[in-house]
């Protein structure tokens, strides 16, 4: 490293006390004024003052005289001490500026020396964050695949073949009762999109398992899980958001294709910090941006189909789920409600 990158040495005495400078100008002036005043008072009382007219109030007059002699001297030295204190404060301020400059220069040199290590540390932190995200996604995917694998696949009955030999006995090839998967109810669908509240939420997990059997619903849940995991890395949790809830009529308009001011109420997220963090992540993180747009498309497609068969109350319940809140947050950041 060349000499230009090295910090300048701190001047000797920069941090030393300045108390050894001796008598200052203010103190010298105060001393001269005090001597002149005391000398004048002595001349007055010794040669000019006539104490014969002092009566019964002589003691009071003596006190006033002493007070008149000492008060100016006291005031002069108070002013001198104030000037000295101001000088000390200026010197302390100069030493503090010197120390700050030295610290700043040392910080710059340290950054120049350790720039590569800082970049490497940042890259390691990014890699750790990506590994956490991948681990969460793999865990959720394995749970989903395990849940689907445990359930029997629906057996689609084949069309009956024309009878060739009327004397041949019929084979028992009918679909067993209960083999076909029951359709997902709207109540379980809404409950699954809110995800289980706690590890002991048996109803939530039961609804989630039922929802994962449906392919389209499973894709939406996985997309929602992806964005919720990525948002949680920035400390954004759906339970902390308190959005302004829109009427079901506005949700129906959005599902019908309306955009602009008519559906702006869907972007009811008012938390500025969450909006700022999500917007910054959307611009800078391509993984987050792709996951967010994929989730928005999945939710939009689901809403178009769900609005046709759902009641107003069911749409309202859907809007209060964690998945819908993530849609409102990312939708406002992406500008789809404008």
């Amino acid at each position: 490293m060349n000499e230009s990158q090295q910090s300048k040495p701190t001047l000797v005495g920069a941090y030393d006390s300045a108390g050894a400078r001796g008598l200052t100008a203010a103190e010298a002036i105060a001393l001269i004024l005090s001597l002149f005043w005391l000398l004048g008072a002595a001349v007055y009382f010794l040669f000019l003052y006539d104490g014969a007219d002092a009566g019964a109030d002589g003691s009071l007059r003596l006190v006033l005289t002493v007070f008149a002699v000492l008060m100016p001297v006291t005031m002069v030295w108070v002013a001198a001490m104030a000037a000295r204190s101001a000088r000390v404060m200026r010197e302390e301020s100069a030493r503090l500026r010197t120390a700050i400059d030295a610290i700043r220069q040392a910080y710059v040199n340290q950054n120049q020396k350790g720039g590569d290590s800082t970049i490497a540390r940042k890259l390691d932190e990014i890699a750790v964050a990506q590994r956490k995200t991948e681990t969460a996604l793999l865990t959720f995917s394995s749970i989903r695949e395990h849940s689907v694998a445990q359930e029997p696949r629906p057996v689609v009955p084949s069309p009956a073949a024309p009878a060739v030999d009327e004397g041949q006995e019929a084979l028992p090839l009918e679909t067993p009762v209960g083999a076909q998967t029951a359709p997902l109810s709207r109540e379980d669908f809404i409950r699954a999109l809110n995800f289980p509240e706690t590890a002991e939420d048996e109803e939530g997990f039961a609804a989630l398992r039922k929802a994962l059997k449906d392919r389209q619903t499973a894709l939406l849940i996985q997309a929602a899980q992806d964005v919720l995991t990525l948002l949680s890395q920035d400390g954004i949790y759906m339970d902390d958001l308190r959005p302004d809830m829109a009427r079901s009529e506005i949700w129906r308009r959005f599902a019908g294709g309306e955009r602009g001011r008519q559906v702006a109420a869907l972007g009811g997220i008012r938390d500025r910090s969450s909006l700022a963090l999500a917007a910054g992540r959307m611009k800078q993180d391509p993984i987050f941006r792709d996951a967010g747009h994929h989730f928005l498309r999945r939710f939009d497609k689901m809403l178009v189909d769900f609005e046709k068969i759902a009641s107003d109350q069911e749409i309202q319940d859907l809007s209060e789920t964690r998945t819908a809140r993530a849609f409102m947050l990312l939708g406002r950041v992406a500008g789809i409600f404008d």
Side-chain angles (χ1 to χ4, degrees):
M1 182 178 295
N2 54 25
E3 295 180 357
S4 61
Q5 295 178 339
Q6 296 179 355
S7 61
K8 296 181 180 180
T10 305
L11 296 178
V12 177
Y15 304 103
D16 294 341
S17 175
R21 293 183 57 182
L23 196 65
T24 62
E27 294 171 350
I29 294 174
L31 180 61
I32 293 173
L33 291 177
S34 299
L35 292 177
F36 272 109
W37 180 258
L38 294 176
L39 181 61
V43 170
Y44 173 77
F45 284 106
L46 291 177
F47 301 103
L48 302 178
Y49 178 72
D50 186 8
D53 57 347
D57 56 347
S59 59
L60 179 60
R61 181 171 295 181
L62 178 62
V63 171
L64 293 177
T65 301
V66 173
F67 185 78
V69 171
L70 297 181
M71 178 57 68
V73 177
T74 304
M75 296 300 295
V76 168
W77 281 102
V78 166
M81 292 298 102
R84 183 184 182 90
S85 299
R87 179 180 61 82
V88 171
M89 292 297 295
R90 288 194 298 270
E91 293 176 352
E92 292 292 338
S93 178
R95 287 197 295 272
L96 182 60
R97 284 196 299 270
T98 303
I100 292 175
D101 292 338
I103 294 174
R104 184 184 295 110
Q105 187 65 33
Y107 178 75
V108 171
N109 293 336
Q110 183 179 2
N111 287 343
Q112 292 177 351
K113 294 178 182 179
D116 297 337
S117 61
T118 303
I119 296 174
R121 185 168 62 254
K122 292 294 184 182
L123 293 176
D124 292 339
E125 293 177 357
I126 295 174
V128 171
Q130 290 180 348
R131 284 197 295 270
K132 291 181 179 179
T133 302
E134 293 174 357
T135 302
L137 296 179
L138 291 175
T139 302
F140 184 80
S141 299
S142 61
I143 294 174
R144 180 174 59 84
E145 294 172 357
H146 180 68
S147 302
V148 175
Q150 287 182 346
E151 299 295 334
R153 293 180 177 270
V155 179
V156 180
S158 303
V164 178
D165 188 0
E166 297 180 356
Q168 184 179 4
E169 296 181 358
L171 297 178
L173 298 179
E174 297 180 357
T175 302
V177 179
Q180 292 185 349
T181 303
L184 180 64
S185 65
R186 292 191 291 272
E187 181 181 357
D188 289 337
F189 174 76
I190 296 172
R191 186 69 185 82
L193 292 185
N194 194 46
F195 294 98
E197 298 289 346
T198 60
E200 292 78 18
D201 187 4
E202 297 180 358
E203 295 182 359
F205 281 104
L208 185 61
R209 284 192 295 269
K210 293 178 182 179
L212 291 175
K213 298 174 187 177
D214 183 78
R215 175 174 174 76
Q216 298 299 326
T217 306
L219 293 175
L220 174 61
I221 291 176
Q222 185 174 6
Q225 179 70 16
D226 292 345
V227 297
L228 291 178
T229 301
L230 293 174
L231 288 172
S232 65
Q233 295 176 357
D234 290 332
I236 304 174
Y237 300 96
M238 299 301 102
D239 292 339
D240 298 336
L241 302 179
R242 294 295 181 267
D244 298 336
M245 307 309 298
R247 302 190 309 273
S248 57
E249 176 186 357
I250 300 178
W251 286 97
R252 293 186 187 276
R253 289 182 179 180
F254 182 82
E258 293 189 21
R259 298 294 184 269
R261 184 174 300 178
Q262 291 79 2
V263 297
L266 296 183
I269 303 297
R270 307 299 179 188
D271 191 292
R272 295 184 179 179
S273 61
S274 299
L275 290 171
L277 290 173
R281 190 84 179 271
M282 186 74 77
K283 293 179 181 178
Q284 300 174 3
D285 190 348
I287 297 177
F288 181 86
R289 182 167 57 250
D290 293 341
H293 288 304
H294 176 68
F295 165 70
L296 293 175
R297 288 193 298 269
R298 284 289 175 188
F299 191 94
D300 188 16
K301 182 179 179 181
M302 175 277 301
L303 186 61
V304 172
D305 297 333
F306 183 77
E307 179 269 334
K308 299 176 181 177
I309 60 175
S311 63
D312 291 345
Q313 183 60 43
E314 288 172 341
I315 293 179
Q316 200 68 31
D317 295 339
L318 174 68
S319 66
E320 296 178 359
T321 61
R322 294 184 176 94
T323 302
R325 293 184 183 183
F327 175 75
M328 296 166 69
L329 174 64
L330 296 182
R332 183 171 181 181
V333 170
I336 63 176
F337 303 133
D338 299 336

